[in-house]
Amino acid sequence: MKFVFYLCLILVVCKGGKVNKKANVLIDDIVKGMSLAEKIGQTTQVDFVYLNDAQGKTQYEKIKEWNLGSLLVGGNGCPDNDGNISSSGTCMNANNQLWKKVADLALAQGISVQVDISELEQETVIIKPLLGTDAIRGNQHSVGEILFPHNIGLAASNNVENFRNSAKWMRDSVIETGFNFVFTPTVAVSHNPQWGRFYETLGENTEKVQQYSKAFIEEAQNIQNDKILGVLTSVKHFIGDGATINGYEEGDSIVDEQFMDVFIEDNIKGYKGAVEAQTGNVMVSYDAINGVAMSVHPFVNSILKASTEDGGLGFEGFVISDYNSVIKTALIDLPRQSQKMPLDKAYADSFNVGVDMQMISDKVEDYQEMITLLVNETDPQKPNINMTRLDDAVKRILTIKDKMGLIQYSETIMKKYDLQEKKKIEIVKDKEQEYQDALQAALQSLVLLKNQGNTLPINKNSIEHVILLGDRYIPVGNGQFKLFQDYDNIGAQNGGWTIRWQGYNGNDYWTGDLKNQSKASSILDAIKERFQEAQIYYPKYSNPTNLDAILQDRNTFRNQLIANQDQFSQANTIVIHVLAENPYAEYMGDVNCQYCQTKDKIGCLYNNHDNVYLTESQATRLEIKTGAYEKQLINNVLKGLSKVVTVLISGRPMLIDDPLSISNAFIAAWLPGTSGGEAIVKSIFGEYGFGGPDKLFNKLPSPWISTLDSIKDYPKYDSDTVPKIEDPKFETEFGLETDIINYPILE
């Protein structure tokens, strides 16, 4: 194991050209010239919203006042026309140009540090802030952007090129906004699909996880001559975030100490790939291992940062906490099952185990005052952070900033330390190529689970009638309900982390110019490109918020189908039946958490109710069924008169026996992104063949469960073998294949 890590170190040190030793000396000299307040400031990342005054105006001068090392856009943050950040707006106008205004205002607030370059001479350097944003599979905080499939879909494509393409176009879009730090990629292994972040995982094949991680980071950071020309990646969430028992977000990984090496080897490959690619940042997990929260876990030092000679990965960048994760470690024990502790001890422990920067939502003054007290504490029996450790954290942060060109030097310093100007990456805007790359990824991500009698591909020239089914009448907040038609639901295709944290149902963010810019398509959009309006049947709802009107419109549609029954046949009619999960992110996507089933619900993060689309009580079964209305149409009105193709839009495997039983063909579409509708329809009509030309694509990246018992108390690391889901309905790498149909080219 140490031999493998040693080879990785060679790659890290040598890739990208000679290391400038004088640059390291310069970072040391800068840190020597910094005050304690400036050092602590560099370890601080705060949400932009905390800069706002009582009127909602973002006070960018606070960046300099607090010596901030970094800022982040919270999951719901968006700018107005004047560069003010709010977490309560609609984000409808949050395009790259408005984000660029925010970045320019923030980057103008760099802090000045005096550096002694000789006994008699000082020079000033200006240290600019890192600007962090979520960019899970595209620049999703900006409207009008093309979004790739989520990780689980990219993993199903079984094609590393899709990870590179996703990283490239995300990188270029984020650079256009002026932001420089992306909280991506998640490199978790796929374990329990009850986890609300399962769609962020990379499959169960850990060698592929390592490969995908490395490829994505190399493309996103674009390191040349030891300089990061792209965006800084934050690889997350160290370590084992996908391996918590029962799939609880902010949960606990259960590992017998004698088998800890099995756990580590099973969950570390993404970080190996990241270190090989020289990621500049790693984010620690909210989770715990055997009750020890990762924000204070010694593995940060002993595994991630330790040298290869000492059995570690030799990571040389800086480590950041997750959002308020140290505060949660101190104050909250469930569902993590970790020990609460005083906040000052939690921060001291976090720094001392190797976390270099703390991500906090607010109260910068309180945080910086606490760290100051910890650094000045002289009683070794009390929580403390020694100056050597603080300096190490600051040096790691500044070393990465130097590689990114975020430290502004005078000409004198440039000459003295043999520094080279950082060249800028050339961004080539090519929306058509970006769309084609996203479409390829979406096409290759779809997995065909059933194809009875070779239902697919269907020759569209033989089809005279296309019937679209799949409605959901769900809460939308404030006691209101609304009906969504999932065959025309671009929001559902994208899932969580779309525009805002929990994502959206519907098409509000994909209309007009925004739809044209993103080239987004629903299934209905793609059908309309191929068939005349008279050939397409689906319910037309006069008022999707009024249940009485909905029932009346459904009855009208049912009568329409009955009136046309004599025209329908299996030879000329297809039903495309769409099922979809609501969008969700993090703990709001968890299923069957034991703490949500108690009277007091202590430890039930779902109880925060951060998602307007979800029911008041958390679901206890990872199951999806055909709606009663749709089932009645399929089994009664249309029985024997059409073939049924079911499409499941979901972030994970689910129990699907019910819809599978009424389907001739069944496609697991995952969360295919803005081009998902076009991809699904292409695959149905043979414009794309499942498996691709070499039958390598469109494969399950992890097992598809057959029962909930198979993931009960799973995973547990209690033997010398990696835990596996037993008796799955479909094994990893399962995926049926089809041929393409060679349609004549119309002139």
Side-chain angles (χ1 to χ4, degrees), residues 294-311:
M294 288 310 304
S295 293
V296 295
H297 203 292
F299 279 178
V300 179
N301 270 331
S302 65
I303 293 178
L304 180 61
K305 285 184 167 182
S307 69
T308 53
E309 290 85 353
D310 292 330

Side-chain angles (χ1 to χ4, degrees), residues 645-671:
V645 179
T646 295
V647 178
L648 173 61
I649 296 172
S650 72
R652 51 194 163 193
M654 307 180 75
L655 298 179
I656 55 172
D657 286 351
D658 175 75
L660 203 63
S661 67
I662 63 169
S663 306
N664 299 102
F666 194 103
I667 299 170
W670 311 108
L671 301 171

Side-chain angles (χ1 to χ4, degrees), residues 594-605:
Q594 69 183 82
Y595 303 110
C596 297
Q597 297 164 28
T598 61
K599 185 176 181 179
D600 58 23
K601 289 185 166 53
I602 295 174
C604 176
L605 302 180

Side-chain angles (χ1 to χ4, degrees), residues 174-195:
V174 171
I175 288 175
E176 189 176 42
T177 69
F179 278 65
N180 49 39
F181 186 15
V182 292
F183 304 133
T184 188
T186 299
V187 295
V189 177
S190 303
H191 290 291
N192 194 320
Q194 291 181 133
W195 186 36

Side-chain angles (χ1 to χ4, degrees), residues 580-596:
E581 284 193 288
N582 278 306
Y584 54 80
E586 299 190 50
Y587 50 79
M588 290 309 299
D590 281 4
V591 171
N592 197 30
C593 174
Q594 69 183 82
Y595 303 110
C596 297

